Amino acid sequence: MQVFVRDNNVDQALRVLKKKMQRDGVFREMKRRRFYEKPSERANREKGEAVRRARKLARKKAVREGLLPAPKKKKIEPGRGGAGGGGAMRFPAPLAA
């Protein structure tokens, strides 16, 4: 895997590298290899992944053919989520008296 650093912008190159690694599944692979996985567990996991892929493909095909309604698109509310904004609770729950 190769990433070019332009104008000495290492932060940008790091972001690009992380995105490429994420897309290639490197992080998922590292997480999976953190502990030993028995061959039977591996077979079960791979079988489950194959079933999920097949279901997803069938669902997409059914939506395309009009047999299922298209999934609702998520509405993004302004001021909610996204970058920045800390993680602490903005308005604490009122105290019970």
Side-chain angles (χ1 to χ4, degrees):
M1 198 170 298
Q2 188 176 22
V3 176
F4 296 106
V5 179
R6 295 187 194 131
D7 301 326
N8 285 334
N9 194 347
V10 178
D11 292 332
Q12 172 75 22
L14 262 175
R15 275 198 302 272
V16 171
L17 176 66
K18 283 182 181 178
K19 192 180 286 187
K20 280 186 176 186
M21 290 172 71
Q22 179 78 31
R23 224 176 274 142
D24 288 347
V26 173
F27 293 122
R28 194 179 310 122
E29 182 80 17
M30 283 173 24
K31 186 176 180 183
R32 226 181 34 236
R33 287 177 182 253
R34 207 169 277 164
F35 302 104
Y36 177 73
E37 186 177 29
K38 287 170 37 178
S40 60
E41 291 172 348
R42 179 179 178 189
N44 287 337
R45 176 181 50 78
E46 288 176 350
K47 195 181 291 184
E49 288 172 356
V51 167
R52 276 193 294 279
R53 278 194 307 272
R55 281 186 188 150
K56 185 175 182 180
L57 192 83
R59 190 169 46 244
K60 282 189 171 189
K61 187 176 179 185
V63 167
R64 247 192 326 258
E65 293 173 354
L67 301 174
L68 288 176
K72 295 179 182 177
K73 300 202 175 184
K74 293 182 181 176
K75 216 171 25 172
I76 300 172
E77 295 183 33
R80 296 267 181 188
M89 207 164 41
R90 289 196 176 100
F91 303 106
L95 297 173

